[in-house]
Amino acid sequence: MKRPTALVVTLALVAVCALLTGCPSTPGGLGPTLSVSPGAVNFGTLALKNNLSILNTGSGVLAWTVDESIPWLSVDTASGSTSTELDHVELTVDRTGLLPGIYNGTVTVTSNGGTKNILVAMSVAGTPTLDVNPLTINLLNNTETAQFTITNNGTGTLTWSLSLLDPDADDPTEPIDFPAFLSISPTGGNTPQNGVDVVTVELDRDLIEPGIYGYILVISSNAGSAQIALNITAGLSAEIGVEPTVLDFGTTLNQLTFDVFNIGFAGSVLDFTLSTDRPELIFFEPATGVSVATGDPDNYDRVPIAVTIDRNALTGTVDGGRITISAPGVDPVDVIINIEAAPLIFEGAQNRTRPPFILRFVFLLRDSLGNAIDTTDPAILNELQTAFTVEEDEVQIDPDETNLFVTSAEGLRYNLALLLDYTGSMYNAAPGNGVVINQMVTAASEFVNDLPESYNIALMEYHDRQQSNRLIHNFSTSKTSLVDGLQAFSVPFGENGASEVNDAVLDACTRLANEDFGVPSFDDADVRALVFISDGRDTSSVNTVQEVIDFAKDNRVRLYPIGFGANVRASALIQMATETGGHYYSAPTPADLANLLQNELAFGAGAPGLIVKELSRQIVLTYITLIQDGSHTYQITGDYQGVTGSFSEDAVFALGGVTRAGQISLRTAGIQPDGTAQVFVRAEYVPRNVSQIRVRFIPAPPANAVSLAPNGILEGWQLIDEGGGRFTAITLETTPLKYGTFGNLFRVNYGGLLLTDIVNLGFRVDNRVYINPPFTKFFQYPDNLVFGEGSTSVNVVPLLESDNFDPDALGAFDRDADGETDFDDLTPGPPLP
């Protein structure tokens, strides 16, 4: 075909312009005119390239340029010229690094024949996710309908479709048609960002033959695939069997079990769930199960259910509830729970022993409703002095032949770790965005401040199974440092991860035990306690609950779990508490959590929270055993205001040791920010008939710096300053210290110190005052204490565990045999053998 000449084309254009009410005039006649096609470009979410066509619809030569100022757009040709030919400009988009969304811009073509603005649009698709729940659907017994959800928590649209597989087919990977008796709606869809689609599965039992059917429902999508196990039974009836049908917890038990099994038609499937009318009192694991009927009563498919009760939730002396086992199309069955409140509860009476005679028990007494008896009341503590009897190997010990006494918890030394939950479940707890974590930190700070000064405290946390260190602040008695460390700690946004409660608790127990590593026998903490927060859902631990309990018991660690949240899986937490001598606390709301840890209004303004209050109400029962072989059992019976309770267990014993040796230790929290420091001289164990204690500090402390320790065991004694750092505390011979007692003796105050200072305090005990053959006793003690800001080290004379040591021998307390006794000798030489 013959093409028209340029002149003909030009004349034709002029004619068209005339018909369309005229064309724009060009000086000197017709000139270049810019035409760009298309007038707008949309790349969508997939296209990478598109073209612009540039045409000169006028005369002459059209010179053009393209503005490429859009960051995500580039052109292959930025300028050119044309007279009659069609020019092409290739546009290319680059979505690299762009967030999902719609992007707009303008490409401007400028020429000597006019200017055109071309709108350009482009979309960046998000990354959808596929979340299917549940992954198993059971249409059993008479059930005809079920549903599952498809959720997209990603940033783009999720496109999905369904297909069905038959695992028993010749090719189990080839999709099959949906059977006539099975309908699913919808079978595909587009789920937007943060959207949820509900899929309904329906079964027409009139169209299905009796039998058991199993299919795989496959969800394919642009975010991967998922599978749902679809189990169907027809013409097979299930029936719930339970054994036993009544659980009687009596006054002491906390956990019992029963079995659920299917006593229906052989091959039928029982898909059951459990519920209770007393969720605050009764807990069970697991909460669901499946049992296939065998038709053989001797070989039922049994599913064991562990039931745990929280005695704190009892509402009377006799209480209980029921657990209901339900299944679709099956009559439900109840298990009855009966509980009696113990009239007097011993909590945590795990004994300690000091070779070879002394046994010491630290425990809390609770009444029938679980309330801690207020032993901080002097009248109650005095009443308890005669409230206890002890049996060893079923033989009651004679109080005239031994020494049995009760003291408050005020003189106890604690290693306590507080383990906080920074996991995603805590971060997202209502109202979300870490608000509850902030409330937890505030409450924990007040908890630390409310604890007694003698507590050695560590702060820990858990937030993700990949974290390598759970420590916030190592053990310290400096509350300022602890609280500052807690306030400064945070988990980076987005790193609040999965729960590994068991592993974190085991780690904390290890740190509690290691804090006493290397200290002399009976110089470690009286109580090791771990307070931790959890919802009871462990998603990623390696260690089991029983392994945690065994380790805690072996290392004398008492567990105090706080079940936080409205739907706590408390069984494991209660088990941890009851088996280690601790206590389980329930905190359904953030306010409840705060009241447990921080000042609780129920006790009056400024009063500490419940946990601190109950720790302070513990008591110490000490007695001197008459059996020394270390293999006996004991039973402690208490009778308080006409109410009786008891505690029994195999005794924990340490054999050997020098029978007449007492033990003294030095304790300090180090130099404080205000330049002060306090050193406490503490008796860990006092031998029989001590009415005088003479000590020496090297160098001599400042004037008036040494005093009897406030609330110590020497209250009412006379303190004599002999000068030169020598001090004697004395009382009447008729009122000596109780045999086996413990607590603070002296306090040494320092002031005007710098945080960079190092204090080296030498220490001696004058054992010569006790030489009285054949009844000589003596104290073992550290030679010196070195401390700075929050750090201490002690040079301890090792325990004299050899029976060859004779305190009555000449020169027994002159270690280097230089004629100068250890008390007066600045360099007494090596420890006694």
Side-chain angles (χ1 to χ4, degrees):
M1 180 178 179
K2 184 176 180 181
R3 298 179 61 185
T5 65
L7 178 60
V8 173
V9 171
T10 301
L11 292 174
L13 287 172
V14 171
V16 171
C17 288
L19 289 174
L20 297 177
T21 68
C23 297
S25 61
T26 303
L30 289 176
T33 302
L34 174 66
S35 176
V36 180
S37 178
V41 178
N42 189 349
F43 287 87
T45 59
L46 299 177
L48 297 176
K49 298 181 181 296
N50 233 313
N51 285 329
L52 290 180
S53 297
I54 299 175
L55 178 66
N56 181 7
T57 57
S59 61
V61 176
L62 177 75
W64 54 267
T65 59
V66 178
D67 178 8
E68 51 177 334
S69 60
I70 302 174
W72 40 266
L73 184 73
S74 61
V75 299
D76 65 340
T77 304
S79 60
S81 61
T82 179
S83 55
T84 61
E85 71 275 9
L86 192 64
D87 286 351
H88 297 285
V89 176
E90 187 177 73
L91 308 180
T92 303
V93 297
D94 182 3
R95 298 182 176 87
T96 304
L98 298 179
L99 295 175
I102 299 174
Y103 294 78
N104 296 299
T106 302
V107 172
T108 301
V109 181
T110 305
S111 73
N112 57 342
T115 299
K116 298 289 185 180
N117 292 320
I118 310 300
L119 297 179
V120 179
M122 178 269 295
S123 299
V124 177
T127 303
T129 61
L130 174 66
D131 185 12
V132 178
N133 185 54
L135 296 179
T136 300
I137 292 178
N138 296 317
L139 295 174
L140 311 177
N141 308 317
N142 297 321
T143 307
E144 297 181 344
T145 304
Q147 290 182 326
F148 65 92
T149 59
I150 295 177
T151 303
N152 177 15
N153 292 318
T155 55
T157 299
L158 175 71
T159 301
W160 57 271
S161 61
L162 303 180
S163 60
L164 192 67
L165 301 179
D166 183 355
D168 296 325
D170 293 337
D171 185 356
T173 64
E174 182 67 25
I176 64 171
D177 294 333
F178 288 99
F181 55 77
L182 183 67
S183 63
I184 299 179
S185 177
T187 57
N190 297 298
T191 308
Q193 177 179 332
N194 296 323
V196 179
D197 282 337
V198 178
V199 180
T200 301
V201 181
E202 291 186 302
L203 184 66
D204 187 344
R205 291 192 172 274
D206 293 334
L207 300 178
I208 190 171
E209 296 293 329
I212 300 174
Y213 301 82
Y215 297 102
I216 301 295
L217 189 60
V218 179
I219 302 94
S220 302
S221 76
N222 58 339
S225 63
Q227 294 184 347
I228 295 176
L230 178 58
N231 302 311
I232 300 171
T233 60
L236 305 177
S237 59
E239 186 176 350
I240 298 172
V242 171
E243 190 176 54
T245 58
V246 177
L247 296 182
D248 190 346
F249 286 84
T251 60
T252 59
L253 298 178
N254 288 89
Q255 190 172 77
L256 291 171
T257 61
F258 68 91
D259 290 341
V260 178
F261 43 91
N262 186 354
I263 59 175
F265 193 87
S268 64
V269 180
L270 178 68
D271 185 11
F272 63 88
T273 59
L274 278 70
S275 60
T276 178
D277 62 340
R278 294 292 303 279
E280 81 287 1
L281 174 66
I282 302 170
F283 304 89
F284 41 80
E285 291 285 346
T288 62
V290 176
S291 176
V292 179
T294 64
D296 181 2
D298 296 326
N299 190 31
Y300 282 137
D301 181 17
R302 294 174 176 266
V303 180
I305 308 296
V307 181
T308 306
I309 60 169
D310 180 10
R311 290 186 174 271
N312 301 310
L314 293 174
T315 59
T317 56
V318 178
D319 203 352
R322 68 184 66 239
I323 296 174
T324 301
I325 302 94
S326 306
V330 178
D331 293 334
V333 174
D334 288 337
V335 174
I336 304 302
I337 308 298
N338 294 327
I339 311 166
E340 293 181 61
L344 188 65
I345 303 169
F346 285 66
E347 184 176 270
Q350 175 65 53
N351 75 294
R352 293 193 63 202
T353 181
R354 194 272 187 200
F357 293 138
I358 187 172
L359 291 180
R360 183 179 293 170
F361 307 87
V362 180
F363 54 86
L364 186 72
L365 293 175
R366 294 185 182 274
D367 62 21
S368 60
L369 296 181
N371 299 313
I373 294 173
D374 186 7
T375 57
T376 60
D377 184 335
I380 293 177
L381 186 63
N382 184 63
E383 184 178 350
L384 292 175
Q385 295 296 327
T386 57
F388 299 99
T389 59
V390 177
E391 291 182 4
E392 293 183 333
D393 294 338
E394 301 182 357
V395 177
Q396 183 171 323
I397 64 172
D398 186 345
D400 293 331
E401 295 183 4
T402 185
N403 190 31
L404 185 152
F405 58 94
V406 176
T407 54
S408 72
E410 190 172 16
L412 289 179
R413 287 188 299 101
Y414 272 75
N415 285 346
L416 184 143
L418 177 60
L419 178 62
L420 302 178
D421 182 355
Y422 283 80
T423 62
S425 60
M426 181 67 85
Y427 181 86
N428 293 314
N433 296 320
V435 171
V436 172
I437 286 182
N438 293 332
Q439 294 172 330
M440 175 185 68
V441 169
T442 299
S445 299
E446 294 196 32
F447 175 74
V448 169
N449 284 323
D450 285 339
L451 288 170
E453 299 298 328
S454 60
Y455 277 43
N456 192 27
I457 307 166
L459 300 175
M460 299 179 64
E461 61 86 24
Y462 64 100
H463 67 270
D464 186 78
R465 60 185 173 183
Q466 296 181 349
Q467 68 186 106
S468 58
N469 184 13
R470 301 182 180 93
L471 194 65
I472 297 176
H473 195 296
N474 208 350
F475 284 96
S476 174
T477 56
S478 174
K479 295 183 178 181
T480 300
S481 177
L482 288 161
V483 173
D484 287 348
L486 178 59
Q487 298 288 345
F489 178 81
S490 64
V491 173
F493 177 76
E495 293 190 14
N496 305 87
S499 300
E500 50 168 10
V501 183
N502 296 345
D503 290 354
V505 170
L506 194 66
D507 183 9
C509 290
T510 302
R511 291 184 183 274
L512 282 161
N514 288 345
E515 180 64 10
D516 288 327
F517 180 76
V519 302
S521 176
F522 224 67
D523 194 19
D524 53 2
D526 295 301
V527 175
R528 297 169 183 159
L530 171 61
V531 179
F532 67 97
I533 299 170
S534 171
D535 62 4
R537 288 168 173 78
D538 191 310
T539 59
S540 54
S541 281
V542 174
N543 296 280
T544 66
V545 171
Q546 192 58 53
E547 287 171 337
V548 171
I549 292 173
D550 291 343
F551 185 86
K553 292 176 67 175
D554 290 344
N555 290 276
R556 291 194 301 104
V557 179
R558 305 180 187 198
L559 302 179
Y560 294 87
I562 300 174
F564 176 70
N567 188 25
V568 176
R569 295 178 64 178
S571 297
L573 302 180
I574 294 173
Q575 185 183 359
M576 288 182 184
T578 55
E579 292 194 28
T580 62
H583 190 74
Y584 171 73
Y585 296 93
S586 176
T589 68
D592 295 320
L593 176 64
N595 281 338
L596 287 173
L597 292 177
Q598 68 186 96
N599 295 343
E600 188 170 22
L601 295 179
F603 297 107
L610 181 62
I611 297 179
V612 173
K613 181 175 290 293
E614 294 197 341
L615 288 174
S616 69
R617 290 181 176 180
Q618 296 190 96
I619 60 173
V620 186
L621 185 149
T622 304
Y623 80 92
I624 310 303
T625 179
L626 301 179
I627 303 176
Q628 302 175 38
D629 61 8
S631 61
H632 70 276
T633 61
Y634 63 81
Q635 176 165 304
I636 301 174
T637 300
D639 187 344
Y640 173 67
Q641 297 184 351
V643 179
T644 302
S646 64
F647 178 88
S648 62
E649 194 172 310
D650 292 340
V652 176
F653 250 80
L655 301 178
V658 181
T659 62
R660 291 180 283 175
Q663 188 169 320
I664 288 178
S665 63
L666 298 177
R667 296 283 170 175
T668 181
I671 301 174
Q672 301 303 302
D674 62 358
T676 63
Q678 289 186 338
V679 175
F680 284 91
V681 180
R682 175 183 171 86
E684 305 295 347
Y685 170 75
V686 175
R688 188 187 299 273
N689 202 30
V690 170
S691 58
Q692 180 181 177
I693 298 177
R694 187 169 186 243
V695 298
R696 181 185 180 191
F697 301 99
I698 308 169
N704 301 318
V706 178
S707 62
L708 298 180
N711 302 315
I713 60 176
L714 299 185
E715 283 190 342
W717 286 40
Q718 182 180 359
L719 180 63
I720 302 171
D721 184 350
E722 303 175 18
R726 295 172 173 84
F727 294 85
T728 295
I730 192 168
T731 188
L732 298 175
E733 291 185 358
T734 55
T735 57
L737 290 174
K738 292 179 179 179
Y739 183 15
T741 193
F742 61 96
N744 289 334
L745 302 171
F746 306 97
R747 179 178 66 182
V748 184
N749 285 323
Y750 289 88
L753 299 174
L754 300 177
L755 294 180
T756 55
D757 286 344
I758 299 295
V759 179
N760 190 331
L761 177 64
F763 180 71
R764 306 284 187 271
V765 176
D766 192 354
N767 282 313
R768 295 172 299 180
V769 301
Y770 308 116
I771 297 176
N772 183 22
F775 305 109
T776 298
K777 57 265 184 186
F778 62 96
F779 282 102
Q780 300 164 100
Y781 57 89
D783 274 338
N784 71 308
L785 173 70
V786 180
F787 63 92
E789 181 190 4
S791 62
T792 63
S793 64
V794 181
N795 180 19
V796 179
V797 178
L799 286 176
L800 306 176
E801 296 181 348
S802 171
D803 291 334
N804 295 328
F805 176 71
D806 182 5
D808 295 315
L810 185 64
F813 301 106
D814 180 9
R815 275 179 270 168
D816 56 6
D818 63 352
E820 190 174 26
T821 63
D822 296 338
F823 185 78
D824 298 315
D825 197 344
L826 294 179
T827 56
L832 289 167

